[in-house]
Amino acid sequence: MSIESIEQELASSGIEVISNPALVEKLSLDYYHFSPILKEQLENKKADLVVKPKNEAQVLQVAKLCVKHKIPLTIRGSGTGNYGQCIPLEGGIVLDTTNLNKIISLESGLARVEAGIKMIALDREAQKIGWELRMVPSTYHSATLGGFIGGGSVGAGSITYGLIKDPGNVLALRLISMEDEPKVLELRGQDINKVMHAYGTNGIITELEVALAPAYAWLEVIVVFTDFMQAAKFGQAISDADGIVKKLVTILGDPIASDYFHALEPYLAKGCSCALLIIAPTAIEATKEIVKEYQGQISYRKSEPAKLLEFTWNHTTLLARSIDPGITYLQAFYYDLEKVEHLYRKFQPEVMMHLEFIRLNGRAIPTGIPLVRYSTAERLNQIIEYHQAHGASIANPHTYIIEEGGTIEPEQLILKQKLDPYGLLNPGKMRAWSQKV
Ligand SMILES: Cc1cc2nc3c(=O)[nH]c(=O)nc-3n(C[C@H](O)[C@H](O)[C@H](O)COP(=O)(O)OP(=O)(O)OC[C@H]3O[C@@H](n4cnc5c(N)ncnc54)[C@H](O)[C@@H]3O)c2cc1C
């Protein structure tokens, strides 16, 4: 069947279809270009059509049509993923979820929403009743909640609530299958993990239920240090201080902040390392004491929600690359400060340290998105291997294969076999499936 007749069939069912080549190209891509390796592999990949269903019934119609004609279907939220997660490797249809954006219910500590809702939109509504999202990526102004669950993992809030996949954060997912007769099903409890971070390869999430956190009038703070390891130790100490209610503990080694964060220039000394914090207002006194203990200096303190967020997590990489496009990045779990110090001394200035503290299995640990002055793929691999050989884990952001960037559970493949028997969902991303076929 030709693409024109598919377009007609979709349009005659009242489904919004985009076929304008420039728009289709734009809606086929994400932030894969942060990686010079992915840039080469993915830049010419694009869909044939983009559809924007506005309700679940329309998603079912799209799924049915794709199964009938064996058309690949790749789901897209806002396309802010970093690893080509929503780039269609085999063309076909991109299903843009951003019109599925309703809040279904919102009550004390609990929200049920459609998957394409922007995280900021849900947060704003939740804050009106004293709650907010437990964690958000630094792309929270544009990213969808479904995209965070399908392709993201951590963010501001993870210092308290861990990873998005940790039990108790996401409570339910409603999914559409790609069987001959597409079905709607709901997963709860541990079953949710079958779909989390699966890049939309084993079901289309249409609705989800998440637990919320109490909202605070957050205070944003910058602390500057003359020495990176002092800043890192401060980060650990404030992360370990259970009485300090916090949302973000970011540590940036020199010269990241002073070289790449021009908007924060008045608060940074040349060549300093710094901490960017989001804390509850009542935590300021205790924070000041820890700052003093580690010989830091508070240079900025404001109740301006989400101003600092866009200097942290992968926005650090975005800002650095806007000044030096030769920079790329890694995603590391260091687990402790000894590893941080060893790797810092080994690789600076080629690798610039950027730590994000998170709670992992009840313990505050340093993870990071270090910046790398890229030279060759071989050198990048050497750096990755050295990190791994010295006890750090790397979630490789230079691959679009799920298993190479992290892991997949056997249950994810089993679910795919059941719900996507023709392998139409985001083909080429799940290695376990490709090897099976
Ligand atoms: C500057 C920058 C900063 C970032 N910071 C962070 C960060 O702090 N933490 C973090 O975890 N990530 C971060 N990211 C990555 C990304 O922004 C987040 O993971 C974001 O939540 C993705 O949402 P999205 O709507 O853009 O998803 P998309 O990129 O559109 O999709 C992501 C994946 O989820 C799948 N998907 C989307 N919707 C659905 C659905 N309804 N059903 C099933 N699968 C679906 C897609 O197929 C794709 O594989 C960052 C990226 C950039 C560019």
Side-chain angles (χ1 to χ4, degrees):
M1 198 178 191
S2 74
I3 206 69
E4 288 76 21
S5 34
I6 302 271
E7 185 180 352
Q8 264 172 16
E9 196 172 330
L10 286 162
S12 65
S13 326
I15 298 170
E16 185 181 342
V17 183
I18 298 170
S19 57
N20 172 299
L23 260 181
V24 170
E25 193 175 331
K26 186 166 170 238
L27 293 170
S28 297
L29 298 175
D30 62 11
Y31 283 76
Y32 72 107
H33 47 81
F34 276 22
S35 160
I37 293 160
L38 291 179
K39 189 163 187 319
E40 238 181 80
Q41 294 171 344
L42 297 177
E43 69 188 342
N44 297 318
K45 305 287 179 200
K46 58 175 187 296
D48 298 304
L49 289 176
V50 177
V51 294
K52 290 185 81 168
K54 55 177 188 283
N55 53 42
E56 191 176 87
Q58 291 195 341
V59 177
L60 271 164
Q61 278 178 296
V62 174
K64 201 165 177 174
L65 181 125
C66 286
V67 175
K68 184 171 151 204
H69 301 293
K70 306 291 176 288
I71 303 168
L73 179 68
T74 303
I75 311 155
R76 174 191 175 89
S78 295
T80 65
N82 296 114
Y83 335 121
Q85 288 117 305
C86 68
I87 298 183
L89 299 180
E90 297 179 14
I93 292 180
V94 159
L95 186 152
D96 177 319
T97 63
T98 52
N99 283 341
L100 298 166
N101 55 15
K102 290 188 198 60
I103 295 178
I104 295 157
S105 63
L106 182 57
E107 55 190 273
S108 221
L110 184 68
R112 188 168 177 110
V113 294
E114 289 186 333
I117 193 164
K118 297 265 166 77
M119 298 177 88
I120 190 166
L122 172 56
D123 227 25
R124 282 194 177 139
E125 287 308 307
Q127 280 160 357
K128 288 181 188 163
I129 58 160
W131 294 87
E132 63 181 25
L133 281 163
R134 285 188 167 185
M135 76 194 67
V136 296
S138 59
T139 45
Y140 128 107
H141 288 101
S142 50
T144 65
L145 194 51
F148 187 50
I149 283 161
S153 48
V154 276
S158 289
I159 185 58
T160 305
Y161 295 100
L163 309 173
I164 185 69
K165 69 174 189 189
D166 282 337
N169 285 329
V170 180
L171 305 178
L173 297 176
R174 189 173 158 97
L175 274 185
I176 289 190
S177 74
M178 293 285 282
E179 296 157 284
D180 285 317
E181 202 48 61
K183 281 202 296 275
V184 182
L185 65 155
E186 175 137 337
L187 304 180
R188 301 194 75 92
Q190 286 188 356
D191 282 346
I192 286 167
N193 278 334
K194 297 174 185 170
V195 181
M196 304 281 294
H197 208 71
Y199 296 3
T201 56
N202 57 10
I204 308 166
I205 305 167
T206 52
E207 283 179 20
L208 45 98
E209 212 173 279
V210 288
L212 302 172
Y216 285 84
W218 295 107
L219 187 65
E220 303 200 333
V221 178
I222 299 178
V223 191
V224 292
F225 297 85
T226 50
D227 175 64
F228 167 68
M229 278 315 296
Q230 273 302 101
K233 285 176 193 163
F234 165 80
Q236 186 70 60
I238 197 143
S239 300
D240 286 341
D242 292 338
I244 291 184
V245 174
K246 52 203 165 275
K247 191 165 178 173
L248 184 79
V249 181
T250 302
I251 305 295
L252 298 158
D254 62 283
I256 296 179
S258 63
D259 279 11
Y260 305 127
F261 294 178
H262 289 170
L264 298 183
E265 220 168 72
Y267 317 107
L268 302 164
K270 184 80 192 149
C272 69
S273 292
C274 65
L276 307 188
L277 308 175
I278 301 183
I279 57 173
T282 48
I284 188 67
E285 246 182 276
T287 300
K288 275 184 183 167
E289 284 172 8
I290 304 179
V291 169
K292 198 167 161 206
E293 194 183 331
Y294 290 90
Q295 291 109 46
Q297 203 87 59
I298 293 183
S299 61
Y300 174 94
R301 176 183 154 178
K302 273 197 185 126
S303 303
E304 242 179 82
K307 181 172 162 66
L308 288 191
L309 181 63
E310 289 189 354
F311 293 89
T312 67
W313 292 95
N314 231 349
H315 267 76
T316 307
T317 317
L318 179 82
L319 291 168
R321 281 178 49 76
S322 70
I323 289 170
D324 180 353
I327 285 174
T328 189
Y329 70 121
L330 289 176
Q331 299 178 141
F333 284 75
Y334 300 106
Y335 305 108
D336 58 55
L337 290 184
E338 276 121 69
K339 291 186 193 73
V340 168
E341 181 155 19
H342 175 79
L343 293 162
Y344 166 62
R345 303 222 181 277
K346 169 81 185 163
F347 287 113
Q348 65 150 341
E350 184 181 14
V351 177
M352 292 170 270
M353 275 294 189
H354 164 193
L355 305 181
E356 296 288 349
F357 281 85
I358 70 161
R359 187 154 299 273
L360 187 74
N361 301 325
R363 205 164 64 85
I365 61 148
T367 66
I369 313 185
L371 301 180
V372 180
R373 297 182 201 275
Y374 183 73
S375 52
T376 63
E378 290 70 35
R379 177 62 186 153
L380 190 64
N381 280 332
Q382 274 172 8
I383 297 172
I384 292 175
E385 281 163 18
Y386 189 94
H387 277 66
Q388 289 165 334
H390 288 80
S393 310
I394 298 286
N396 189 355
H398 301 281
T399 171
Y400 56 77
I401 306 284
I402 306 172
E403 291 94 329
E404 289 175 10
T407 50
I408 70 155
E409 306 302 327
E411 300 82 53
Q412 290 186 327
L413 176 63
I414 294 168
L415 189 72
K416 184 168 175 72
Q417 285 164 336
K418 189 162 161 238
L419 301 190
D420 182 25
Y422 302 107
L424 297 172
L425 284 174
N426 209 353
K429 304 286 169 64
M430 188 192 275
R431 189 203 278 136
W433 173 269
S434 315
Q435 284 177 346
K436 181 206 131 288
V437 192

